[in-house]
């Protein structure tokens, strides 16, 4: 059965995913509305809904129908949040779109529906695209705008081009889940009552952002981690963006998502097309946990470039030595890392140009001759001889004014004439919208990777974009906000296609650039510069709402933590970092032999269970991380891994049992000691889910008690 069914007479299209249906309808008044989004229905069940549409009646002051539209325009009798805003020649606004046809197409990995519209007067062509996959509940949508006028005709000014608006079905109440945060405090989960009016999450910084992430989930206020209906909307874009939910008094709620921030305009010239990034939507009746698992599965199946690859354990000396890198000291620490079982050695900032601190050198991407007198070859070879892959930190979009690059090309930075170029971290941003800048960046990155067989790049972006001008594009400078991000994507894509073995980590002062756009071209994300295991628990909890553990890099670093000063036992630090892609980032010269031995054991143990962590289904259990006992469980085939955390001893005892989720009730699971492989206690899935896994003896201690439990299905 095709996942896209249509009733052309009634102008209904119904998209089916394994568990859900998403349906649209061109209403008699010509508006394209969302007919249904929820549990799976057949097209025959969906079509009669066209007769039952109960748009609350309006008045001469408002017509409440625009919230149900798939792409409400700025125009006609609409006063809601427009998803599409166009100014036509002569300053004419108020687009009038008319349905112009549909196309259904089978693609290699899914099915696609295009619904086309044209303006009744001006040559504007608008196509709403939809894609569904046979094994994912995520619906993908995006929009293409095209100016069909002849050369020489005036451009259309696009003030807003969202990828789509999603209608949450009528419920008695609404609540939203989202993340907020800051540098070193990313992805803090917020779950609040949805107010009436307009609620906007946005980013104007030019990366994805630390203070919000482009997604929003909705429920009626009763969903829990494993129960209840949840609707989720995300945007796959790494530049500025806006997601606005509007909750109406008449009982409707819509979420429109798109790239660019308010005020940014795009001049659409004759024959030019503007394609928006995808917005993704998911529905589940299995609670927030099921929503996250649907996102994770989708990311693994259709977003990440190499989801099947097992992520290596890496070492990075940033927190150990900061900018103080050189051939000899890096090799010394590499030996220690290799001895622990590390598989990938990454040299961070400080290896190039005059970059001995953050005041100079960005842009001069050749090895610092004082630190690497023979180039990077000896270090790269040395690392490989130790049996590890070799990676490097780069920050291609940035330049320090104190650099040869800036002295030669001051015009390459993002700037306006007659305006200051404000520095942050003593750096400016190169305009990746420019062809010459992209050619330069691709050129040196390509040589660097080729010359040293670089296996891994940590691609950083350490400041927000300000004074976003592009003087050569006077009159249309705002396209910088879109073209810069597209330019970054293009350089990464080119680099990956010439170097298919290359793996890339996305970083922007920690987790400032994580979204489904960058994840389509990077393998993991540096989740946060904050490596304090306690803070990391809430950061990782928020991260996991949308993004899978396979893309969540987590290091074990020194204690007291260099950023927060908190002292946390090594075992707890390992248990937190092992719940994602494990890395080591401490100063190994200062670790005692017992600590090194413990680390070796934990790294070996991680390698035995990482497939379940990186590729399995993830369940969040227990209390909010950091408060009381919390846990993360992964289920992958016969393998189950559970990390239990109890950071603070409390007056009352820790819970005795932790009820697991997602097991086969009739199967038997046996505990296998993580480090020794010793086999232990057996219980059925039913018992582990109904009565629970006994945990008190494992986390009965004082502060910072944690446990890692491995279970295997034996029959
Ligand atoms: C950013 C990153 C860090 C490190 C530094 C180097 O802050 O998030 O991990 O790479 O840059 O300057």
């Amino acid at each position: 059965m095709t996942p896209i069914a249509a009733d052309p007479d009634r102008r209904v299209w119904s998209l089916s995913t394994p568990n859900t249906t998403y349906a649209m309808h061109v209403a008699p008044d010509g508006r394209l509305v969302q007919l249904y989004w929820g549990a799976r229905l057949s097209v025959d069940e969906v079509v009669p809904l066209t007769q039952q549409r109960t748009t609350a009646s309006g008045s001469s002051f408002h017509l409440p129908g625009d919230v149900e539209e798939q792409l409400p325009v700025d125009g006609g009798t609409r006063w809601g949040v427009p998803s599409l805003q166009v100014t036509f020649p002569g300053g004419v606004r108020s687009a009038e779109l008319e349905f112009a046809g549909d196309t259904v197409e089978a693609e290699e990995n899914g099915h696609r529906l295009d619904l086309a519209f044209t303006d009744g007067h001006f040559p504007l062509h608008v196509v709403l695209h939809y894609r569904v996959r046979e094994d994912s509940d995520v619906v993908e949508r995006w929009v293409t705008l095209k100016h069909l006028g002849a050369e020489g005709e005036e451009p259309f000014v696009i003030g807003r081009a969202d990828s789509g608006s999603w209608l949450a079905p009528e419920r008695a109440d609404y609540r939203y889940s989202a993340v907020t945060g800051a540098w070193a405090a990313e992805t803090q989960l917020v779950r609040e009552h949805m107010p009436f009016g307009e609620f906007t999450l946005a980013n104007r910084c030019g990366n994805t952002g630390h203070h919000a992430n482009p997604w929003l989930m909705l429920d009626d206020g009763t969903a829990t981690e494993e129960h209840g209906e949840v609707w989720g909307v995300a945007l796959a874009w790494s530049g500025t963006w806006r997601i606005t939910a509007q909750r109406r008094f008449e009982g409707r709620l819509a979420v429109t998502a798109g790239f660019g921030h308010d005020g940014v305009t795009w001049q659409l010239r004759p024959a030019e097309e503007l394609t928006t990034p995808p917005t993704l939507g998911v529905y589940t009746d299995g609670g927030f946990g099921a929503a996250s698992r649907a996102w994770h599965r989708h990311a693994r199946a259709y977003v990440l470039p190499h989801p099947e690859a097992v992520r290596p354990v890496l070492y990075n000396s940033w927190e150990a030595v900061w900018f103080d890198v050189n051939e000899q000291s890096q090799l010394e620490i590499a030996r220690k890392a290799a001895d622990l079982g590390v598989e990938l050695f990454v040299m961070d900032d400080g290896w190039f140009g005059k970059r001995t601190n953050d005041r100079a050198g960005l842009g001069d991407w050749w090895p610092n001759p004082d630190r690497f007198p023979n180039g990077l070859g000896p270090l790269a070879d040395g690392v490989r001889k130790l049996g590890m892959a070799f990676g490097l930190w780069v920050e291609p979009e940035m330049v320090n004014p104190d650099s040869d690059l800036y002295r030669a090309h001051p015009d390459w930075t993002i700037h306006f004439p007659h305006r200051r170029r404000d520095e942050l971290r003593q750096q400016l941003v190169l305009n990746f919208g420019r062809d010459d800048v992209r050619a330069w960046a691709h050129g040196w990155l390509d040589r660097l990777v080729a010359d040293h067989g670089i296996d891994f790049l940590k691609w950083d972006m350490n400041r927000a974009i300000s004074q976003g001008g592009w003087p050569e594009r006077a009159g249309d400078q705002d396209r910088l906000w879109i073209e810069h991000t597209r330019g970054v994507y293009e350089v990464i894509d080119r680099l990956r296609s010439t170097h298919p073995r290359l793996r890339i980590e996305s970083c922007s002062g920690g987790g400032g650039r994580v979204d489904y756009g960058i994840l389509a071209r990077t393998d993991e994300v540096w989740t946060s510069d904050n490596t304090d295991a306690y803070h990391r628990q809430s950061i990782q909890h928020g991260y996991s709402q949308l993004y899978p553990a396979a893309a969540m890099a987590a290091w074990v670093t020194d204690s007291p933590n260099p950023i927060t000063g908190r002292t946390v036992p090594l075992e707890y630090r390992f248990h937190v970092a092992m719940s994602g892609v494990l890395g080591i980032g401490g100063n190994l010269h200062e670790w005692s032999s017992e600590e090194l031995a413990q680390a070796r054991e934990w790294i070996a143990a991680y390698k035995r269970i990482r497939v379940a962590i990186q590729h399995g289904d993830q369940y969040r259990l227990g209390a909010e991380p950091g408060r009381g006992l919390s846990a993360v469980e992964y289920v992958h085939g016969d393998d189950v891994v559970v990390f239990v955390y109890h950071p603070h001893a409390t007056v009352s005892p820790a819970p005795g049992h932790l009820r697991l989720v997602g097991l086969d009730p009739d199967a038997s699971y046996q505990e296998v000691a993580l480090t020794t492989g010793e086999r232990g206690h057996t219980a059925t899935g039913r018992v582990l889910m109904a009565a629970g896994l006994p945990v008190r003896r494992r986390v009965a201690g004082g502060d910072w008690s944690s446990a890692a439990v491995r279970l295997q299905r034996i029959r």
Side-chain angles (χ1 to χ4, degrees), residues 40 173 201 250 256 369 398 412 434 451 468 484 511 516 520 635 664:
R40 193 167 161 141
D173 202 354
L201 296 169
E250 313 89 23
T256 180
M398 298 292 161
W412 280 11
R434 289 176 62 127
D451 289 354
H484 178 82
Y516 278 125
V635 180
D664 174 354

Side-chain angles (χ1 to χ4, degrees), residues 318 323 348-349 355 393 425 458 460 462 507 509-510 526 529:
W318 173 246
F323 289 96
D348 212 278
D349 202 349
R355 186 79 170 168
W393 178 94
R425 212 190 189 212
K458 175 177 176 183
D460 210 337
N462 271 321
C507 177
W526 180 226
D529 277 343

Side-chain angles (χ1 to χ4, degrees), residues 133 179 220 351 393 404 430 519 536 710:
R133 325 275 192 167
V179 287
D220 70 356
W351 60 267
W393 178 94
D404 289 358
L430 295 168
L519 282 180
R536 264 303 179 106
R710 180 186 189 190

Side-chain angles (χ1 to χ4, degrees), residues 204-206 237 240 261 264 465 468 478-483 485:
R204 301 188 181 89
C205 296
W237 180 246
T240 68
H261 52 286
V264 164
I465 295 176
D478 278 1
R479 62 170 60 213
L480 176 270
W481 294 100
I482 308 295
E483 296 286 27
T485 304

Side-chain angles (χ1 to χ4, degrees), residues 421-441:
R421 300 181 190 194
D422 287 341
E423 293 173 23
L424 290 167
R425 212 190 189 212
Q426 287 79 241
Q427 61 198 59
L428 296 169
V429 189
L430 295 168
N431 181 351
F432 265 51
R434 289 176 62 127
D435 298 343
D436 47 5
V437 171
R438 285 198 310 280
W440 162 84

Side-chain angles (χ1 to χ4, degrees), residues 4 25 39 61 145 159 182 251 315 361 413 437 449 475 498 515 547 667 712:
I4 300 182
H25 168 49
F61 296 98
L145 307 177
Y315 178 82
T413 57
V437 171
V449 173
T498 358
D515 58 80
Y547 307 114
Q712 259 179 350

